[in-house]
Amino acid sequence: MLEVQDVRLDPESRRLWRGVEEIVLSRKEFDLVHALITHAGQIVTRDQLMREVWHTTFWTSSKTIDVHLGWVRRKLGDDSRRPRLITTIRGQGLRFETEDTTR
């Protein structure tokens, strides 16, 4: 079980909770969160995500990650303008935050 902030992810059962609420994710959404939460506190590049989540070394679409990230943020209740969980680091990648920095 991986736990960061109030998000718990069980890689074995492929289930995720935010607080006490279970969040249902698609396969790719789960893989995206798993890749980010596994490296919580570190910047994960888009290249890394394409390799780990989409198992490809080329860009299938420049918007693929953004679209899936948008769905994940909505499901987790993470505001993209003031993210508490997943931060976009411009020109570098994404980071799953280990603590809420908006407080």
Side-chain angles (χ1 to χ4, degrees):
M1 185 76 72
L2 303 170
E3 192 166 348
V4 180
Q5 292 195 55
D6 64 343
V7 176
R8 287 179 303 133
L9 182 139
D10 183 354
E12 286 285 316
S13 66
R14 296 187 60 83
R15 295 171 70 190
L16 180 132
W17 296 264
R18 175 110 197 247
V20 295
E21 180 185 354
E22 184 170 1
I23 308 295
V24 178
L25 300 175
S26 73
R27 182 174 188 80
K28 288 297 181 193
E29 291 168 349
F30 183 90
D31 291 345
L32 177 59
V33 174
H34 185 248
L36 291 170
I37 207 167
T38 299
H39 303 288
Q42 302 169 16
I43 296 171
V44 181
T45 68
R46 289 174 175 271
D47 287 341
Q48 282 178 273
L49 291 173
M50 289 306 290
R51 283 193 308 274
E52 289 181 32
V53 178
W54 282 271
H55 308 291
T56 184
T57 56
F58 61 91
W59 291 87
T60 56
S61 167
S62 61
K63 293 293 181 185
T64 300
I65 294 171
D66 296 329
V67 169
H68 283 80
L69 181 61
W71 294 335
V72 165
R73 281 183 167 146
R74 264 190 298 285
K75 289 181 177 184
L76 292 176
D78 197 25
D79 182 356
S80 62
R81 291 172 303 230
R82 295 193 62 206
R84 295 177 48 236
L85 297 173
I86 303 169
T87 305
T88 300
I89 311 300
R90 190 178 174 120
Q92 296 182 46
L94 301 167
R95 179 175 56 219
F96 200 102
E97 300 295 345
T98 56
E99 57 187 53
D100 183 355
T101 59
T102 62
R103 293 183 201 175

